[in-house]
Amino acid sequence: MRVLGIETSCDETSAAIVSGTPDDMQLESLVILSQDVHRLFGGVVPEIASRQHLVGIVPAVNAALHDAQRALGDLDAIAVTHAPGLVGALLVGTSYAKTLAFSHGLPVVPVHHLEGHLFATLLEQPEAKPPFTALLVSGGHTLLLDVPEWGRYQLLGQTRDDAVGEAFDKVAKLLGLPYPGGRPVELLAATAESPEHGHAHYFARPMLRRRAVVTDDDYFDCSFSGLKTAVLYAVRRAEAAGDIEQQRASIARGFQDAVIDTLVEKVYRAAKLRRRSRVVLGGGVACNGALQQAMRERFAGRNGVVFAPTPRLATDNAAMIAAAGLFRALQGEHAAPDMTATASLPIPGIFSGKF
Ligand code: KG4
Ligand code: ZN
């Protein structure tokens, strides 16, 4: 089976071709047009995003076909992100996918963006397959899942307020760093002295109590808005003392350490509960090298393997949409002609249950 994937849920216009089966997948091409214009505004401007998708979608799809040396006649299906995301942005991809599919007699496969993130690592590392514990951390979502098999996702925990990427972006703004802020915060944090050598900022770890038990509400959930406020006060104190330049790196480091400690512990609890030896990270924040390293160190003792996609596949891209679409197409799932775009929708196959 060969699938063209289309992704336009936020600020990347992307097209890709993937072929094979979920056990043996090949990425034939991937084109990502990133909309840098949003940097000027410090966040994604929905109408500008939609208009840019309209400009980029045809060249992106043509380039993906060209790079893979394929024609539309070589495809078995067109997979497209239909939820969640900015509705105007999603409508560009879904409308184009439907038109292209209709005019070439191909089925359309609707893909949930977050299910796409779960498949991203598989394109590079065939061992990143179920059963595994998954941590999806992006600008809009923070989800802790148990994945016994593709298509079945048990929701163990999520954020109660800000997504992790959103917290990175807001802290970056407080520290005078550009948008999106995750990478700049990581780079600044790396320049701070380590805790043993006097890096001064320690922030309380949100929802991380030592004697927590699995039946506690917050055993798997996270919260980052209190941490963000603690960073705000630290920045204000440093500014009042005329010392912000000296303290910026240490504040970034203290924030990142608190986030990482929290995420590593929550993922560890989830993997232990379900006796999983594989962990798959997904979403833009999965690019964070310090997070990956801390996760690997924590799981080394349990002979656990931590998989993370490379940055190109961790952030939004159509390869992961094509991969999830290929799985869904093999299940016989096709969109009805009235398929639409939806701003928010649960991942198909998600369930929550008693621990
Ligand atoms: O998955 P993604 O590309 O888009 C969404 O679906 O949101 O994730 C973007 C998010 C942004 O908040 C960005 O700041 C964050 O991922 N991010 C990072 C890093 N690289 C990107 N956060 C922490 N460390 C990084 N190295
Ligand atoms: Zn995403």
Side-chain angles (χ1 to χ4, degrees):
M1 163 147 321
R2 179 172 294 109
V3 177
L4 165 68
I6 294 177
E7 154 68 35
T8 63
S9 68
C10 191
D11 58 348
E12 336 274 350
T13 315
S14 181
I17 293 177
V18 162
S19 59
T21 64
D23 288 331
D24 180 21
M25 248 190 235
Q26 286 87 44
L27 176 56
E28 297 190 5
S29 65
L30 171 58
V31 176
I32 306 175
L33 307 178
S34 291
Q35 303 179 358
D36 285 344
V37 57
H38 303 288
R39 287 170 197 262
L40 297 173
F41 303 96
V44 178
V45 183
E47 181 169 340
I48 296 178
S50 309
R51 290 175 185 275
Q52 293 267 346
H53 286 310
L54 213 44
V55 173
I57 187 78
V58 177
V61 168
N62 287 345
L65 287 165
H66 175 269
D67 290 356
Q69 299 187 314
R70 302 286 178 194
L72 282 163
D74 299 324
L75 301 175
D76 298 295
I78 299 181
V80 62
T81 311
H82 75 125
L86 303 170
V87 169
L90 289 165
L91 281 172
V92 177
T94 48
S95 304
Y96 185 66
K98 277 209 234 184
T99 312
L100 200 59
F102 182 70
S103 59
H104 289 81
L106 291 168
V108 175
V109 184
V111 174
H112 192 284
H113 181 82
L114 295 179
E115 186 171 43
H117 275 302
L118 287 173
F119 275 83
T121 313
L122 187 68
L123 289 162
E124 299 175 315
Q125 301 174 78
E127 283 309 303
K129 61 181 182 194
F132 59 75
T133 302
L135 177 70
L136 287 185
V137 273
S138 70
H141 298 91
T142 303
L143 294 180
L144 180 60
L145 303 166
D146 182 65
V147 182
E149 60 185 16
W150 291 124
R152 289 188 63 224
Y153 310 113
Q154 183 178 19
L155 178 64
L156 295 177
Q158 57 191 320
T159 181
R160 302 258 180 104
D161 38 61
D162 292 358
V164 186
E166 194 181 352
F168 268 96
D169 294 340
K170 287 177 178 168
V171 164
K173 199 168 177 186
L174 292 173
L175 293 170
L177 297 168
Y179 171 87
R183 180 85 182 132
V185 169
E186 181 183 6
L187 293 175
L188 181 61
T191 67
E193 298 279 322
S194 68
E196 305 83 63
H197 298 95
H199 121 68
H201 285 90
Y202 179 91
F203 297 108
R205 274 58 178 144
M207 296 202 174
L208 212 57
R209 288 172 293 110
R210 254 184 217 295
R211 286 192 189 77
V213 290
V214 71
T215 45
D216 291 345
D217 281 359
D218 59 357
Y219 191 72
F220 294 119
D221 277 353
C222 313
S223 158
F224 298 103
S225 85
L227 175 60
K228 184 186 65 193
T229 308
V231 171
L232 170 69
Y233 287 132
V235 169
R236 282 196 188 150
R237 270 196 306 276
E239 280 171 349
D243 201 26
I244 185 67
E245 278 317 308
Q246 289 71 38
Q247 294 193 35
R248 279 169 78 242
S250 163
I251 294 173
R253 174 70 181 263
F255 162 75
Q256 185 177 266
D257 285 352
V259 169
I260 290 175
D261 269 5
T262 308
L263 294 177
V264 168
E265 178 61 23
K266 303 276 163 163
V267 171
Y268 191 81
R269 288 175 181 177
K272 202 169 151 205
L273 180 77
R274 288 283 177 265
R275 297 197 175 82
R276 304 298 184 212
S277 59
R278 286 191 282 256
V279 172
V280 173
L281 308 179
V285 184
C287 297
N288 189 289
L291 172 66
Q292 291 182 16
Q293 193 186 336
M295 204 68 83
R296 292 203 166 103
E297 279 168 11
R298 185 67 193 270
F299 278 89
R302 286 187 85 225
N303 290 326
V305 189
V306 177
F307 297 94
T310 55
R312 194 165 159 75
L313 291 177
T315 50
D316 291 349
N317 68 83
M320 66 186 199
I321 302 304
L326 190 147
F327 162 71
R328 293 276 164 197
L330 287 171
Q331 310 275 304
E333 293 181 24
H334 296 159
D338 61 354
M339 175 191 82
T340 185
T342 311
S344 89
L345 192 78
I347 307 178
I350 198 163
F351 61 101
S352 47
K354 288 249 172 277
F355 309 129

